[in-house]
Amino acid sequence: MTRAGVTAAVVVAYFVLPLDHLGPRRPVLSWVLFALALTVVAVLLLRQIRHVFTNRPDSRPGAVLSLLIVLTVHIFSATYYALAKHEGEFIGLDTRVDALYFTVVTLATVGYGDITPSGQAARIVTVLQIAYSFVFLTAAATALTQRLRDMVVRRTERDRHG
């Protein structure tokens, strides 16, 4: 499956998975799935970052890292959507599109203020998203930049000597 196909599958899954069965209905399951998903993605991100910095030639970190970033956004979006089912956790977050919008606005550090985490759990997850993005997604972006720089340098040297 292509990168675009996997990305489309993640987006479709976000909109069709029965997220309404999470949140207040099954709080323990919701938190376990959230923690497990973030942990798995963090491990996969770190693995790809290591591949970049060890110059592993058979890896494709550009494709994998971008998919993991998309997956991270959707994990946080699903969590916000499930949290919004709890009374008082969010102001202005009612739909999956609202949750995706809030995730992207938070990731971009724009913060329009139209959706507000008002409950303690929502605020904790928002802080966690900011920290997770700062650590893991910044490292991923740095690795991608390094990989691109290395490719340009190799191509320039090859063209000069070839």
Side-chain angles (χ1 to χ4, degrees), residues 21-160:
H21 296 295
L22 298 173
R25 289 183 169 183
R26 295 189 175 103
V28 173
L29 177 62
S30 299
W31 287 111
V32 167
L33 287 174
F34 174 63
L36 183 64
L38 280 186
T39 301
V40 167
V41 171
V43 167
L44 293 172
L45 281 166
L46 290 172
R47 183 175 175 209
Q48 290 302 311
I49 292 165
R50 187 183 74 216
H51 289 186
V52 169
F53 290 114
T54 60
N55 287 320
R56 186 168 170 184
D58 61 333
S59 68
R60 294 192 37 157
V64 177
L65 285 171
S66 59
L67 291 173
L68 291 171
I69 291 168
V70 167
L71 188 56
T72 299
V73 166
H74 285 85
I75 289 167
F76 277 103
S77 295
T79 302
Y80 292 136
Y81 180 73
L83 270 175
K85 300 299 178 192
H86 289 274
E87 186 68 32
E89 285 296 333
F90 276 97
I91 297 168
L93 196 155
D94 301 312
T95 67
R96 292 176 198 234
V97 173
D98 291 342
L100 185 58
Y101 163 81
F102 178 75
T103 304
V104 172
V105 166
T106 301
L107 179 64
T109 68
V110 178
Y112 294 124
D114 52 342
I115 297 175
T116 309
S118 52
Q120 296 304 296
R123 289 178 176 179
I124 289 169
V125 173
T126 304
V127 168
L128 184 60
Q129 180 194 343
I130 293 165
Y132 192 93
S133 298
F134 182 72
V135 172
F136 293 104
L137 300 187
T138 301
T142 301
L144 282 173
T145 303
Q146 179 68 36
R147 179 67 148 217
L148 289 172
R149 189 179 85 50
D150 291 347
M151 287 171 52
V152 168
V153 167
R154 279 195 301 268
R155 186 170 291 151
T156 304
E157 288 175 358
R158 185 183 53 203
D159 291 347
R160 234 186 271 160

